[in-house]
């Protein structure tokens, strides 16, 4: 993933979103056995070879830090240090996988210094799983990293709406109710994807942004109904939710909808300093607190925790 009319869970969507505007539940303690698969090594820093001053022969030295990690060294956020992490999804899968609209790219994996990884559940739009999620989870486990989950939200295709519109906790006889039920089904599909891959996370980040080839509708109220159903689906499963977006992209998709949930804020192709700047008051997307700032550099999605988050990492990530 690369990335306000004032409406606050109101008007025709109020009944649909009452669950989405409720307080955060405690993280789920449920455990799922994780598979063991070979971990990818592409893009990791190699062990260096240097000449010995006395003999002239090469001697092996410790792996060098990735320059991306050096670039954020010492960036402080007040009372605690920002913690470096990454997010990955279908672009990091080996080439030759994925749906036609989202062929995998073999993009670089996280830098060695990343303490946590947020793993994408979808192959772009909803109802299409990340084709190598199990291997990515296995790599996180093998490296003893912390993990969390995110999933791209998307407007349902007609076949999905027909299949799921009447099946869920909302009144499928109404347009907004059918859309919310389909959002609820998206959450259930993503939760099954997590379980199949052995991914544990106390939270699912809902990625709200334009999805090329699977565009959102021009009706922001309808789009908000989908997001409300998604939010309820995750919460009914006992997971916390958060939002990944930018203020501009959020407004483009759902207008002034305010869930008040934690935020993962995108800064685009900028820098670690710019990502930390998104943590500041007044940079909120939908009225929630900042947890992480993300930026893109050297074809990697990089993340830093916002002030105070390093003191409670277990609230946001599962430790493998």
């Amino acid at each position: 993933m690369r990335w306000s009319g004032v409406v606050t869970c109101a008007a025709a969507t109020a009944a649909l979103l009452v669950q989405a505007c409720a307080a955060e539940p405690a993280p789920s303690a449920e455990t799922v056995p994780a598979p063991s698969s070979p971990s990818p090594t592409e893009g990791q820093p190699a062990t260096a070879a240097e000449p010995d001053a006395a003999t002239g022969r090469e001697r092996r030295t410790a792996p060098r830090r990735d320059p991306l990690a050096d670039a954020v060294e010492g960036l402080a956020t007040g009372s605690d240090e920002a913690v470096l992490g990454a997010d990955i999804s279908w672009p990091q899968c080996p080439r030759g996988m994925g749906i036609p609209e989202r062929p995998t790219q073999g993009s670089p994996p996280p830098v060695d210094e990343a303490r946590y990884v947020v793993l994408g559940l979808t192959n772009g739009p909803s109802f299409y799983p990340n084709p190598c999620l199990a291997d990515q989870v296995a790599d996180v486990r093998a490296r003893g990293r912390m993990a969390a989950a995110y999933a791209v939200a998307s407007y349902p295709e007609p076949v999905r709406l027909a299949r799921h519109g009447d099946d869920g906790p909302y009144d499928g006889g109404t347009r907004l109710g059918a859309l919310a039920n389909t959002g609820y089904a998206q959450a259930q599909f993503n939760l099954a994807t997590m379980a199949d891959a052995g991914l544990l996370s106390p939270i699912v980040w809902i990625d709200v942004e334009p999805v090329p080839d699977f565009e959102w509708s021009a009706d922001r109220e309808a789009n908000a109904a989908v997001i409300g159903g998604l939010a309820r689906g995750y919460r009914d499963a006992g997971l916390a939710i958060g939002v990944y977006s930018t203020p501009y992209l959020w407004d483009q998709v759902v207008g002034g909808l305010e869930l008040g949930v934690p935020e993962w804020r995108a800064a685009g192709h900028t820098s670690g300093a710019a990502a930390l700047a998104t943590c500041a008051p007044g940079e909120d997307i939908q009225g929630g607190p900042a947890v992480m700032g993300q930026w893109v550099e050297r074809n990697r999605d990089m993340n830093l925790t916002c002030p105070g988050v390093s003191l409670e990492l277990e609230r946001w990530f599962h430790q493998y």
Side-chain angles (χ1 to χ4, degrees), residues 125-154:
S126 294
F127 295 114
Y128 298 93
N130 175 348
C132 71
L133 180 61
D135 286 340
Q136 292 175 343
V137 173
D139 183 67
V140 169
R141 288 172 58 90
R143 296 173 186 273
R145 285 172 163 156
M146 305 184 87
Y150 84 87
V152 175
S154 57

Side-chain angles (χ1 to χ4, degrees), residues 63-261:
R64 295 189 177 92
R65 282 174 56 84
D66 191 287
L68 284 177
D70 289 332
V72 298
E73 184 70 24
L75 282 177
T77 57
S79 61
D80 63 310
E81 289 292 325
V83 181
L84 179 67
D87 59 272
I88 59 174
S89 188
W90 59 270
Q92 286 73 33
C93 294
R95 291 182 183 274
M97 307 173 76
I99 60 175
E101 297 88 347
R102 298 290 187 279
T104 54
Q105 301 171 6
S107 297
V111 298
D112 277 343
E113 293 78 12
R115 288 268 308 279
Y116 55 86
V117 181
V118 190
L119 297 126
L121 305 179
T122 64
N123 187 189
S126 294
F127 295 114
Y128 298 93
N130 175 348
C132 71
L133 180 61
D135 286 340
Q136 292 175 343
V137 173
D139 183 67
V140 169
R141 288 172 58 90
R143 296 173 186 273
R145 285 172 163 156
M146 305 184 87
Y150 84 87
V152 175
S154 57
Y155 197 79
E157 300 164 280
V159 65
R160 305 290 183 184
L161 189 59
R163 182 179 304 170
H164 302 291
D166 291 323
D167 185 16
Y170 300 95
D171 179 5
T174 68
R175 181 177 65 98
L176 295 180
L179 286 166
N181 279 337
T182 309
Y184 194 87
Q186 287 184 23
Q188 292 180 313
F189 185 94
N190 292 334
L191 290 167
T193 298
M194 285 180 65
D196 288 345
L199 174 57
L200 301 178
S201 175
I203 187 170
V204 177
W205 295 96
I206 302 173
D207 182 343
V208 179
E209 59 183 303
V211 183
D213 301 312
F214 298 86
E215 284 79 8
W216 287 96
S217 78
D219 184 343
R220 297 178 186 180
E221 185 180 45
N223 299 340
V226 176
I227 298 301
L230 265 168
R232 180 170 176 176
Y234 293 130
R235 282 178 160 160
D236 282 359
L239 294 177
I241 59 169
V243 161
Y244 167 90
S245 194
T246 71
Y248 174 77
L249 296 179
W250 179 265
D251 179 70
Q252 291 298 298
V253 176
V254 295
L257 175 68
E258 291 187 1
L259 299 178
V261 298

